[in-house]
Amino acid sequence: MSKVIARVDGHPTATAVGAAPRVGFVSLGCPKALTDSELILTRLAAEGYRTSKTFEGADLVIVNTCGFIDDAVRESLDTIGEALAANGRVIVTGCLGAKAGAGGGSLVREVHPAVLAVTGPHATDEVLDAVHAHLPRPHDPFTDLVPPPREVTDGAGIKLTPRHYAYLKISEGCNHRCTFCIIPSLRGDLVSRPIGEVLSEARALFERGVRELLVISQDTSAYGVDAKYRTAFWDGRPLRTRLLDLVTALGDLAARHGAWVRLHYVYPYPHVDEILPLMAEGRVLPYLDVPFQHSHPDVLRRMRRPASGERNLERLAHWRAICPQLVVRSTFIAGFPGETEAEFEHLLDFVREAGIDRVGCFAYSPVDGAAANTLPDPVPAEVREERRARFMAVAEQVSADRLRRRIGQTLQVLVDAAPNRGRQGAVGRSYADAPEIDGVVRLLPPDRASRVIRAGEFCRARVVDTDGHDLIAALV
């Protein structure tokens, strides 16, 4: 789980604007929660609030929490405690804010009764109401005339990621009722953003200099289902609210700016096949983040997973026939209740045969409120961990074998870090690497002293070796 303490560049300091209140902000959890944090910060900045780099320097602290798994709950509660100890004035939002405690009330309030307010996720208006109640912004006739920063007014909002990439959330919530998951109880059913709104944000981000957009949601493939794929107009042309139209338009926008579009949380529904030609043509990155979770039909039924899981090998083969350069990332659960040794071996065979490029695996962990808690034949904790370790040993070997095939290839690399203008080398990513969750491309020092490498720019590099999950490459 990632932890981001808001530091928004370009905003006037409290000294520069007099009495402007300062808000500390911590964002915990997944990229979807990060986009919620960005929206809250954008609204606060538009109203004249400023951010603080420390709890102590803030007039009030907002903690955007994660509540999906036990470790995330503990980290969120610990962070709230740290903010209370350092500052004393704390507003809590996010998934943990929606969880009930043992007494039926708010879990957060049971553990930390001193918090000022608690909201659930995707609750920007409620958070702003709480801020207004506890930290009203004083009217200043001089500073009120100062225009807000560009990132507040250009339609894209404040971003907490590095300047060269950004997350683009296309929907909220989920219609599925997977037995191991409580997201629908925390974030509700699927609500797709209007396609014109999504594309306007994407255009603003590209115009701001973003070189990579990472499309996220709880279920990207279901985009538009709730809106019955209604037709809308954007830039004078009709577009249906559906995945193919959205991705096509995003690819067109990206091409004008020489940028990337990467798709995450793509469930393997049949209509995803329509996206693969766009990848083969280079209009969006040939990369799919597909949460398979398991391979055995019986386990998938106990999980209540959508799509036809038993046909995933066939679907992967079809995708790669359309787009041979496709890279697939996925996550799996080992030790789900009732999982037999034979079912687990089926999963190992699937990973070997499917050739999943990037893999993550979790040992099953009961989540309060999840339907899977009542399933029979729970797998002992030590067996769950042992299976996770066995799974990762197989998956890492598959990944390493596939990485070695890239030796000798020349790839476009987006540079993430280049200290000292890259004189000692740099770190970047190819189309096969999403930030923070995949490997990286380690660029060797340039062979000419005059060659400069800058973060946020593209370069081309030839792969000369591999190291674990990473590629070693030389500039060309």
Side-chain angles (χ1 to χ4, degrees), residues 393-405:
V394 171
E396 288 173 358
Q397 185 60 55
V398 171
S399 180
D401 290 344
R402 295 185 70 82
L403 272 182
R404 278 192 288 272
R405 299 180 189 178

Side-chain angles (χ1 to χ4, degrees), residues 91-108:
I91 292 171
V92 176
T93 187
C95 288
L96 186 61
K99 292 194 76 169
S106 165
L107 172 62
V108 171

Side-chain angles (χ1 to χ4, degrees), residues 268-277 280 288 311-326 328 354:
Y269 305 141
H271 70 266
V272 173
D273 294 2
E274 301 172 334
I275 306 298
L276 271 295
L288 283 175
R311 299 188 60 190
N312 283 335
L313 280 175
E314 177 185 328
R315 178 145 289 124
L316 283 167
H318 179 59
W319 288 349
R320 285 173 171 147
I322 299 171
C323 182
Q325 67 269 41
L326 178 68
V328 177

